[in-house]
Amino acid sequence: MLTDISITMKNPRLCITAQDISAILNITPRQASRKLQEIRDAYGKQYHQYLTFAEFAAYTDLPLDELYKRCHP
């Protein structure tokens, strides 16, 4: 599934940001930052470590291809 996405997109990003989460979930940037930290905590990551789109998709149970479409128009 991920290979199909990478073929159609020129340069997909690997890591998700609070801005992306805000756009995907339609929440405020502050709420998105909290959600990002909540997911990092669930995966045992520290604040300086990045979260991937795949990890976010697995945690929220959202389809990965839809996340890429929403964040990479």
Side-chain angles (χ1 to χ4, degrees):
M1 181 180 270
L2 184 59
T3 55
D4 295 334
I5 294 169
S6 60
I7 291 171
T8 59
M9 297 172 58
K10 295 194 190 247
N11 190 11
R13 288 182 294 132
L14 177 63
C15 301
I16 195 165
T17 64
Q19 283 181 321
D20 295 327
I21 294 172
S22 179
I24 292 166
L25 300 178
N26 197 24
I27 57 178
T28 66
R30 180 66 184 131
Q31 289 173 317
S33 293
R34 286 189 199 120
K35 180 63 74 176
L36 183 62
Q37 189 58 48
E38 175 186 321
I39 298 170
R40 273 195 198 114
D41 289 343
Y43 281 105
K45 292 188 172 201
Q46 296 179 355
Y47 182 77
H48 68 278
Q49 293 177 306
Y50 295 107
L51 191 70
T52 66
F53 275 92
E55 290 169 332
F56 180 79
Y59 184 84
T60 58
D61 208 22
L62 295 171
L64 185 60
D65 56 339
E66 290 297 322
L67 295 178
Y68 273 118
K69 285 179 188 175
R70 183 71 83 113
C71 294
H72 303 94

